[in-house]
Amino acid sequence: MIRVVVVDDQQVMREGLVALLGLIDGVEVVGSAGDGRQALELLRGTAADVVLMDLRMPVLDGVAATRLLKRDHPEVAVVVLTTYADDASIADAVRAGARGYLTKDAGRAEIGAAVRSAANGQAIFAAEVSDRLVAALDARPVARAKTELPDGLTAREAEVLGLIARGLSNPEIAAELFIGEATVKSHINHAFAKIGVRNRAEAVRYGLEKGL
């Protein structure tokens, strides 16, 4: 069973989601909360696999709650379910560590698929959110050509090293690049082997020296 916690400040929405999730095979709702702080308190004593998280809430909003949840419970996946699909909301949620992002017009099948995907370590986004993410990626500065990079680094490896040099953690790099943490670790391992460093401190020094 996939254990889910529902977080939404609107009681009608919260109760509706609990009822809806109860109709999905293989899903068990183990708790609900009306704001981010309540959710964090609930998770101190409740084992969960996925948190279905609203964004705009009093006391502690969904972005801040997601960031703290991923710090304290990195094994728990967060799927945002919100009315808002603007660029800032999406970017803030993904950078905080959300593994999925749906809008509240999503149906039972879509919510069920997102919960299952998140529990299996996969990311899932509503179609309009995916379009915005692709547009954001297209708007990113073009990486330097491979021939210009030192020590045989690929453009992605150099980008990851540059983010390490800026002090970002693996989860923050994953959110920044819209990739999984396992992929980040793979890029780091390959890059470290190529440039001959053994730890992040040496990688930071290398990145700064090379201007990555």
Side-chain angles (χ1 to χ4, degrees):
M1 296 291 286
I2 299 173
R3 299 162 297 182
V4 180
V5 168
V6 174
V7 186
D8 197 296
D9 65 321
Q10 296 181 2
Q11 184 175 352
V12 172
M13 175 62 70
R14 187 168 66 249
E15 292 177 350
L17 287 171
V18 169
L20 181 150
L21 289 165
L23 299 174
I24 300 175
D25 291 338
V27 173
E28 177 188 9
V29 178
V30 294
S32 64
D35 60 60
R37 182 171 296 172
Q38 289 179 12
L40 293 172
E41 291 173 354
L42 174 64
L43 286 166
R44 290 193 185 101
T46 304
D49 302 301
V50 178
V51 172
L52 204 57
M53 181 81 74
D54 191 17
L55 284 187
R56 308 289 174 88
M57 297 182 292
V59 185
L60 188 68
D61 66 32
V63 170
T66 297
R67 188 177 296 111
L68 292 171
L69 190 155
K70 296 305 294 182
R71 182 196 68 187
D72 298 337
H73 306 279
E75 74 285 357
V76 179
V78 176
V79 175
V80 168
L81 182 64
T82 180
T83 305
Y84 306 94
D86 57 282
D87 290 349
S89 295
I90 295 167
D92 288 346
V94 172
R95 290 193 178 105
R99 191 170 289 167
Y101 196 111
L102 303 177
T103 53
K104 286 186 176 178
D105 58 356
R108 185 175 72 181
E110 190 174 2
I111 292 173
V115 167
R116 292 191 185 95
S117 294
N120 290 326
Q122 301 170 341
I124 187 165
F125 300 94
E128 63 185 294
V129 174
S130 294
D131 290 343
R132 288 182 177 275
L133 288 174
V134 170
L137 286 172
D138 288 343
R140 294 177 64 87
V142 178
R144 292 183 295 175
K146 182 177 180 180
T147 55
E148 299 178 11
L149 296 172
D151 298 316
L153 292 170
T154 66
R156 181 63 93 185
E157 290 164 356
E159 193 169 19
V160 169
L161 286 173
L163 294 174
I164 289 175
R166 284 169 46 193
L168 273 66
S169 65
N170 286 8
E172 290 170 334
I173 293 172
E176 179 75 16
L177 301 179
F178 304 110
I179 59 178
E181 287 185 46
T183 303
V184 171
K185 290 178 182 178
S186 177
H187 287 315
I188 290 174
N189 290 337
H190 291 155
F192 278 23
K194 288 179 180 180
I195 66 178
V197 303
R198 294 170 296 178
N199 53 54
R200 296 179 84 90
E202 293 178 357
V204 168
R205 185 164 56 250
Y206 177 93
L208 295 174
E209 288 174 353
K210 300 296 184 180
L212 298 178

